[in-house]
Amino acid sequence: MRPILMKGHERPLTFLKYNRDGDLLFSCAKDHTPTVWFADNGERLGTYRGHNGAVWCCDVSRDSSRLITGSADQTAMLWDVQTGTQLHTFTFDSPARSVDFSVGDKLAVITTDPFMGLTSAIHVKRISKDPSEQISESVLVLKGPQGRINRAVWGPLNKTIISAGEDAVIRIWDAETGKILKESDKEIGHKKGITSLQKSVDGSHFITGSLDKSAKLWDIRTLTLIKNYTTERPVNAVTMSPLLNHVVLGGGQDASAVTTTDHRAGKFEAKFYDKILTEEIGGVKGHFGPINALAFNPDGKSFASGGEDGYVRLHHFDQDYFNIKI
């Protein structure tokens, strides 16, 4: 399995997202410029210029026509995927950390960081089909959690919003009323901040990665803990294969400790786990720094990783991978 090295960012990667068809890969980094690549050969297709801060997150609509990005410049922007034009800018009073389109792309959930005395918040915005009719007003603003909310996503049928962040608690909110419906149990939940969260393809469960060196699999409706995956280093990114029962964890130590580690020590590999047996089944080395972002192609035949080293590595699996038996 030869990785394709995609060099287009000058700063550490923060987020990766495939479109639904799996032919485009969107990458966000701290260098202000979200980029779109062809997912089969890693060729750069274009960039989205307009932010003037690190871009933390992005999401693409189901028909691949719209891109939404959240940035440290205190805005979230809507873009035309094809032309790269800015369609609308949502402005906030603090950095926008996470963005997620609802099923149907009529709503978006955007989280903002604590900043200058403001607490973190979750904003629900209505997304218009016609960009000229787009308004900035929030349909709903949720507040409550302490510390940063690193990720918020839509639950089944857009009825709920699932959030997780620095306080290590996963919350399920009612998307209509804004009430908290469920919180993860302190006993079985993560012990340190949650860095990443990703839903399964069918939306029935989701996985969280945390600085407590573990990832956990949860039922999206009941918030029951299903599985636990432990590793030796903080987890910055998690993803699940849409095809096989595989979970991938990426991480590494804090950026400050990187220079003291030999990359050959394998600290910076993407580790594959059997989803059901929770056993490690392999790893993919290559990054020269912690892995900050992971994404699986919707066809399950390739995956991408983004590192602190500014590279996106695109891996197309060999046949052997599909024959792994435990």
Side-chain angles (χ1 to χ4, degrees):
M1 183 169 76
R2 281 186 67 94
I4 298 171
L5 255 78
M6 292 142 67
K7 184 71 178 149
H9 290 292
E10 293 151 15
R11 299 282 318 279
L13 268 286
T14 54
F15 199 77
L16 290 169
K17 177 86 187 178
Y18 282 94
N19 66 342
R20 188 171 158 269
D21 301 330
D23 62 338
L24 299 176
L25 174 62
F26 296 86
S27 60
C28 302
K30 292 184 182 175
D31 64 4
H32 312 182
T33 314
T35 301
V36 59
W37 315 76
F38 281 117
D40 59 342
N41 60 5
E43 197 180 315
R44 184 160 70 167
L45 183 57
T47 54
Y48 299 89
R49 295 186 179 276
H51 279 300
N52 50 18
V55 181
W56 294 120
C57 193
C58 71
D59 194 15
V60 60
S61 63
R62 190 182 166 97
D63 62 359
S64 303
S65 67
R66 298 272 182 277
L67 177 74
I68 186 168
T69 52
S71 166
D73 64 9
Q74 307 193 350
T75 67
M77 286 187 182
L78 273 175
W79 310 81
D80 183 308
V81 167
Q82 208 172 352
T83 62
T85 41
Q86 291 176 32
L87 301 176
H88 190 79
T89 303
F90 298 103
T91 49
F92 301 100
D93 297 323
S94 61
R97 173 72 47 177
S98 159
V99 290
D100 192 52
F101 279 125
S102 64
V103 176
D105 300 320
K106 288 190 168 66
L107 296 165
V109 61
I110 304 168
T111 69
T112 53
D113 286 355
F115 187 70
M116 306 281 287
L118 288 167
T119 56
S120 54
I122 302 170
H123 308 258
V124 178
K125 303 285 188 187
R126 200 164 261 122
I127 305 293
S128 306
K129 244 198 161 60
D130 182 351
S132 62
E133 293 169 10
Q134 182 64 50
I135 53 164
S136 292
E137 275 65 56
S138 297
V139 186
L140 189 66
V141 179
L142 313 174
K143 287 183 178 165
Q146 293 306 301
R148 203 165 69 203
I149 304 167
N150 284 327
R151 197 86 179 94
V153 297
W154 292 93
L157 303 174
N158 303 339
K159 285 187 172 18
T160 54
I161 292 167
I162 295 117
S163 72
E166 280 185 338
D167 64 358
V169 179
I170 300 162
R171 292 179 178 82
I172 298 184
W173 309 74
D174 186 308
E176 288 284 320
T177 63
K179 290 191 173 66
I180 293 182
L181 302 176
K182 288 189 173 65
E183 290 192 349
S184 59
D185 192 330
K186 285 267 197 295
E187 291 299 306
I188 58 165
H190 286 293
K191 302 292 179 273
K192 287 185 180 168
I194 296 168
T195 53
S196 54
L197 182 158
Q198 202 197 351
K199 292 190 293 187
S200 62
V201 181
D202 63 359
S204 65
H205 55 281
F206 66 93
I207 188 166
T208 53
S210 163
L211 300 173
D212 66 8
K213 305 180 182 174
S214 76
K216 292 178 190 288
L217 197 68
W218 307 83
D219 183 288
I220 207 160
R221 290 178 173 84
T222 62
L223 207 51
T224 324
L225 181 65
I226 306 169
K227 297 284 177 189
N228 193 26
Y229 310 90
T230 48
T231 173
E232 310 83 73
R233 57 195 66 95
V235 178
N236 298 341
V238 285
T239 185
M240 290 182 280
S241 167
L243 192 62
L244 302 173
N245 284 318
H246 292 171
V247 164
V248 190
L249 312 186
Q253 357 60 325
D254 212 353
S256 57
V258 167
T259 48
T260 56
T261 314
D262 181 3
H263 75 96
R264 286 189 301 272
K267 282 278 190 286
F268 308 126
E269 59 182 343
K271 284 181 180 274
F272 282 69
Y273 285 78
D274 186 285
K275 192 182 204 171
I276 289 131
L277 304 174
T278 71
E279 288 172 25
E280 193 180 327
I281 50 179
V284 178
K285 290 188 175 71
H287 282 286
F288 288 89
I291 293 173
N292 294 340
L294 285 169
F296 246 102
N297 191 309
D299 67 5
K301 294 178 182 171
S302 62
F303 86 105
S305 58
E308 192 74 24
D309 56 7
Y311 281 97
V312 179
R313 295 175 76 94
L314 185 61
H315 309 263
H316 289 278
F317 294 117
D318 298 335
Q319 192 49 49
D320 311 348
Y321 166 80
F322 302 100
N323 304 335
I324 295 174
K325 294 275 184 291
I326 282 200

